[in-house]
Amino acid sequence: MEYTTLGSTGMSVSRIGLGCMSFGSGREWMLEREEATELIERAIDLGINFFDTANVYSTGESEAILGDALAGYDRDAHVIATKVYAEMDPDNPNSSGLSRKTIEQELDASLDRLGVNTIDLYQTHRWDSETPIETTLRALDDAVRRGKVRYVGTSSMWAHQFADALRTSDRLGFERFATMQNHYNLFYREEEREMLPLCAKEGVGVIPWSPLARGVGTRPHDRIESTTRGRTDQYLEQIPYLQGGGEEINERVQELAAEKGVTMAQISLAWVLHKERVDAPIVGTTSVDHLEEAVEAIEIDLSPSEMAYLEESYEALPIAGHE
């Protein structure tokens, strides 16, 4: 395993983070506790020390599974990231958003489920247009000062919103967002226009979600629905990965994978790992074999001409992932 410094935090994380959205019972393709624990333990064996979850993943089940699995290991050896924003209780209007009330109550609930005193990276899951950014940042700053959170991060939003948040933190002396978990992969590169340059300028760590394009980068485009997730994942219908040259890109991934004797997933992930502005992509999987393949992708070398070949067919796509 290789390790990198996460943005300007000084904190070392594995080049691949294990995404934990697939842990729990929220969807039919997800892993129940025993299988999820096996996957987490194998990740640790492989040197992964960075785990990303969210309160909303299976309504807290993912956090609980992760916390229980890590309880038998050295807590200081691992970096735990979780998120807040999405609705946790349809009967409680204050169980979502980024108000001080929501952040404080959901942070305490996440700490309890994870079984820790401090969360290494606490992220806002999306932008809350109903709450002033000053209110959100003050609540997050207080969480850091109280020792409940070490660093704060955020996820997909417009670049102008992120710039506003960073400037507000600087103006008021609040803890800055140290990371951006954005939507970025070989099939969706709109973040290259504004968000990635902004992160580079501001020293913000980049930890993309869906680096394999929800499976589109792992198999031929005419076989996407051959898996349970491919048939049932509603987000695949909303994100236009196969538009704008996507099918051609998919075919070039197939071609290059065959030439190198590796899998399509390894080529797709290697592409992300070769992008200078990316620190550690968040890889979600339900298979130990696929996890091992992902780690092996770190060692795959793509030449500048191979990178250009994979990128050549890309065309601009509608923005996806901010909601």
Side-chain angles (χ1 to χ4, degrees):
M1 177 55 63
E2 295 179 1
Y3 298 87
T4 188
T5 301
L6 185 58
S8 300
T9 67
M11 186 165 56
S12 293
V13 296
S14 47
R15 281 304 316 276
I16 289 175
L18 181 63
C20 302
M21 189 179 75
S22 59
F23 301 164
S25 57
R27 299 285 189 276
E28 59 184 280
W29 46 267
M30 292 182 172
L31 298 180
E32 298 287 350
R33 178 175 292 269
E34 183 176 349
E35 292 178 302
T37 300
E38 179 185 353
L39 193 68
I40 294 166
E41 292 174 344
R42 183 56 182 144
I44 294 171
D45 290 342
L46 292 167
I48 292 174
N49 76 336
F50 185 26
F51 299 89
D52 177 80
T53 184
N55 62 343
V56 74
Y57 294 165
S58 292
T59 321
E61 284 184 73
S62 174
E63 288 181 325
I65 290 170
L66 178 63
D68 289 347
L70 294 180
Y73 295 87
D74 179 4
R75 171 65 187 87
D76 292 337
H78 300 108
V79 175
I80 297 176
T82 192
K83 310 181 195 74
V84 61
Y85 169 75
E87 182 181 79
M88 291 293 287
D89 180 357
D91 295 324
N92 178 6
N94 287 307
S95 72
S96 63
L98 297 175
S99 69
R100 173 178 289 276
K101 177 174 175 59
T102 300
I103 288 172
E104 291 184 351
Q105 70 189 22
E106 294 304 326
L107 173 56
D108 284 344
S110 289
L111 287 166
D112 183 61
R113 286 189 292 264
L114 288 163
V116 297
N117 296 319
T118 306
I119 289 169
D120 296 305
L121 180 63
Y122 196 52
Q123 304 159 101
T124 57
H125 214 155
R126 291 295 184 272
W127 183 267
D128 181 3
S129 59
E130 302 300 318
T131 303
I133 188 61
E134 293 89 342
T135 298
T136 296
L137 292 170
R138 190 182 296 276
L140 294 171
D141 185 72
D142 286 347
V144 173
R145 293 174 187 273
R146 291 169 182 161
K148 292 185 176 184
V149 172
R150 291 192 170 91
Y151 300 98
V152 295
T154 190
S155 192
S156 295
M157 62 180 65
W158 296 99
H160 73 84
Q161 293 172 323
F162 191 40
D164 182 30
L166 294 173
R167 294 289 80 77
T168 300
S169 292
D170 293 344
R171 177 169 54 85
L172 298 177
F174 293 157
E175 190 77 13
R176 280 176 129 236
F177 285 131
T179 58
M180 165 55 67
Q181 185 169 162
N182 55 344
H183 182 203
Y184 183 53
N185 55 60
L186 179 57
F187 297 84
Y188 181 85
R189 294 169 47 205
E190 297 309 299
E191 296 291 284
E192 293 177 357
R193 304 183 190 283
E194 295 184 344
M195 184 59 78
L196 292 182
L198 175 61
C199 289
K201 178 177 181 292
E202 297 290 340
V204 172
V206 176
I207 49 177
W209 57 268
S210 199
L212 298 177
R214 304 185 88 87
V216 172
T218 69
R219 60 183 60 84
H221 55 77
D222 58 356
R223 292 177 49 204
I224 300 302
E225 295 186 359
S226 65
T227 66
T228 300
R229 182 171 185 176
R231 292 189 300 272
T232 61
D233 189 345
Q234 60 181 327
Y235 296 105
L236 269 176
E237 299 177 2
Q238 301 171 12
I239 302 175
Y241 291 130
L242 293 177
Q243 295 178 19
E247 290 191 4
E248 174 67 21
I249 295 169
N250 180 278
E251 290 165 4
R252 292 189 180 199
V253 172
Q254 294 179 57
E255 178 187 333
L256 196 54
E259 288 179 6
K260 290 182 174 291
V262 298
T263 67
M264 290 180 63
Q266 288 174 317
I267 293 295
S268 296
L269 186 55
W271 179 88
V272 177
L273 291 165
H274 275 65
K275 304 306 282 189
E276 184 179 357
R277 291 168 180 159
V278 171
D279 292 337
I282 304 298
V283 177
T285 180
T286 57
S287 163
V288 169
D289 289 342
H290 292 166
L291 177 64
E292 292 171 347
E293 286 182 2
V295 172
E296 291 170 359
I298 295 172
E299 300 178 0
I300 294 175
D301 181 58
L302 296 177
S303 68
S305 62
E306 288 170 334
M307 291 286 286
Y309 181 66
L310 291 172
E311 297 174 359
E312 185 180 22
S313 301
Y314 185 81
E315 298 174 12
L317 293 175
I319 298 300
H322 289 188
E323 298 299 328

